[in-house]
Amino acid sequence: MTQEDHQALEDLFLMRVRRIDTRFVRYLYNAINWDSRLIGIMGARGVGKTTMLLQRIKMAHKKSNTVFYASLDNLWFQSHTLPELVDWLYLHGIRHLFLDEVHKYPNWAIVIKNLYDTYDDLNIVYTGSSMLEIDNSRVDLSRRQTLYTLQGLSYREYLALNKIMELPSVSLPQLLDDHQAFAMEVSGSTPMAKHFADYLRIGYYPFHIEAGSDYMARLSETVKLVIETDMPVVENVSYSTIHKAKQLLMVVAGSVPLVPNISKLAAQLETTRDMCLKMLYTLDRAGLLMLFTRNLKDYKHLVNPEKIFLGNTNLMYALGSQVNEGTLRETFFLNQLSLHHDVCSPVQGDFLVDDRYLFEVGGKNKSFEQIKDLPDSFLAVDGIEIGSRNRIPLWMFGLLF
């Protein structure tokens, strides 16, 4: 390989780094141990994985002659291999390699493992679809890599990205103990209710700023790409399955939260019960659905979910014909809490968090009637700026990351 062979890749890389904005970084950026030799960042399409890679390069690698970035869905890889590229780069001083969209490269896990084992002073950071399940029976990456997951914007990040307000993240115990004082401090000068409503509609994906009025169309196209482009690569499924997955998503979107009868749902899609469950769990991993179960989800043992929600509130506006306020609130709560906490379906109440905290979610007239006298029980209430005692404003659960 010569310099000319990969010059187009390098030119694209340098152009993208020059253009990247580093004034706002995601919650995950400072949580990553960037010194690890092998780092994997998983996440749904559109949540900002590529931006994070380019920001890291711009902020931490001032000398471009030691770092290289490439997206593995680039047509360049139709006539070249990743190992031959890395061999040439390594011989010419590259020691930091950033690889985007690894799931688009054939046998990517084996290739990454071989690169890790061959070049003992090469740092590799890669991104991939949240649908990826690394098969450690074939390729043991678990003891070699540090794996992270990037979620869409929290409400706190939405406020910062849109230059509305800078707020620190809070832990769930801090929020439960001291929410009133914190709310009084931050909500006086900012109309939280208005900004929260905007976030629920258009604030989950960072590309809402550049998309502007085209956001819903862009979001619908993103969903389509996940199912038609990413799903076949990751799951190796047929056109028929892709078509059924789209049907399934729209069935759920039309009736969220769906309390599913899997056998009837499978019959409606003209597929088997097992295939229906597999599609549901794949769409869950893709970030398009959230399966709400009695016990913790186990992707190796597929059980009937208690309820099915869309993956975030923005998807409700993009895919659903009507948006129910109650479902909107519950979707937000589940989405924000699920990142760092175990959330299950309780016998009483709406959500059981970390097998300890019990929550009911509702509007400002919501009462404790359903969970009264139960320990560690709370109301997450929409439509209020400041809470009291165990009655907490719903918007504040968007400050957890």
Side-chain angles (χ1 to χ4, degrees), residues 348 366-372 379:
Q348 289 178 265
K366 186 73 175 178
S367 75
F368 271 97
E369 185 62 30
Q370 289 181 271
I371 54 174
K372 65 180 180 180
L379 294 184

Side-chain angles (χ1 to χ4, degrees), residues 161-392:
L161 179 60
N162 287 275
K163 300 180 176 58
I164 297 168
M165 177 181 279
E166 296 272 352
L167 294 173
S169 61
V170 297
S171 70
L172 183 59
Q174 286 174 323
L175 180 61
L176 300 181
D177 287 343
D178 207 23
H179 63 89
Q180 187 177 54
F182 191 76
M184 290 179 72
E185 181 180 341
V186 304
S187 65
S189 59
T190 303
M192 283 295 180
K194 176 190 178 303
H195 295 309
F196 185 53
D198 290 341
Y199 166 80
L200 295 178
R201 186 172 56 85
I202 54 94
Y204 187 75
Y205 295 91
F207 63 79
H208 71 267
I209 290 183
E210 64 181 77
S213 60
D214 293 330
Y215 177 68
M216 288 301 165
R218 281 273 301 272
L219 182 49
S220 295
E221 184 61 24
T222 297
V223 171
K224 184 179 176 184
L225 286 171
V226 169
I227 297 177
E228 294 184 353
T229 305
D230 297 340
M231 191 172 169
V233 172
V234 175
E235 294 288 333
N236 192 26
V237 295
S238 66
Y239 173 80
S240 173
T241 301
I242 294 169
H243 179 67
K244 290 182 191 303
K246 287 194 281 190
Q247 282 184 296
L248 179 58
L249 181 63
M250 295 315 296
V251 168
V252 175
S255 55
V256 287
L258 180 65
V259 179
N261 180 316
I262 300 300
S263 296
K264 287 185 178 179
L265 196 53
Q268 184 177 347
L269 296 172
E270 298 180 341
T271 189
T272 65
R273 181 184 179 280
D274 287 347
M275 180 56 73
C276 184
L277 270 176
K278 184 177 179 181
M279 284 191 290
L280 284 171
Y281 276 82
T282 299
L283 292 171
D284 176 278
R285 294 202 321 274
L288 300 181
L289 296 181
M290 291 188 293
L291 305 187
F292 192 40
T293 55
R294 183 71 68 186
N295 300 306
L296 290 181
K297 273 182 294 194
D298 181 353
Y299 291 104
K300 292 186 177 181
H301 303 92
L302 309 185
V303 299
N304 284 14
E306 297 282 315
K307 290 181 182 179
I308 305 173
F309 294 87
L310 286 176
N312 59 76
T313 58
N314 290 190
L315 291 174
M316 294 180 65
Y317 286 95
L319 302 179
S321 55
Q322 291 185 330
V323 176
N324 177 274
E325 282 192 5
T327 303
L328 190 72
R329 296 163 183 150
E330 291 183 354
T331 301
F332 165 78
F333 184 91
L334 181 58
N335 173 274
Q336 299 289 285
L337 270 290
S338 293
L339 178 62
H340 293 311
H341 300 275
D342 296 330
V343 187
C344 296
S345 174
V347 177
Q348 289 178 265
D350 292 328
F351 300 97
L352 179 63
V353 178
D354 295 335
D355 204 28
R356 175 181 176 182
Y357 304 113
L358 189 62
F359 290 93
E360 276 276 319
V361 178
K364 59 185 177 181
N365 295 322
K366 186 73 175 178
S367 75
F368 271 97
E369 185 62 30
Q370 289 181 271
I371 54 174
K372 65 180 180 180
D373 303 325
L374 294 176
D376 292 317
S377 59
F378 302 86
L379 294 184
V381 182
D382 193 16
I384 63 172
E385 298 272 325
I386 300 171
S388 61
R389 297 184 294 279
N390 287 19
R391 190 177 161 84
I392 305 171

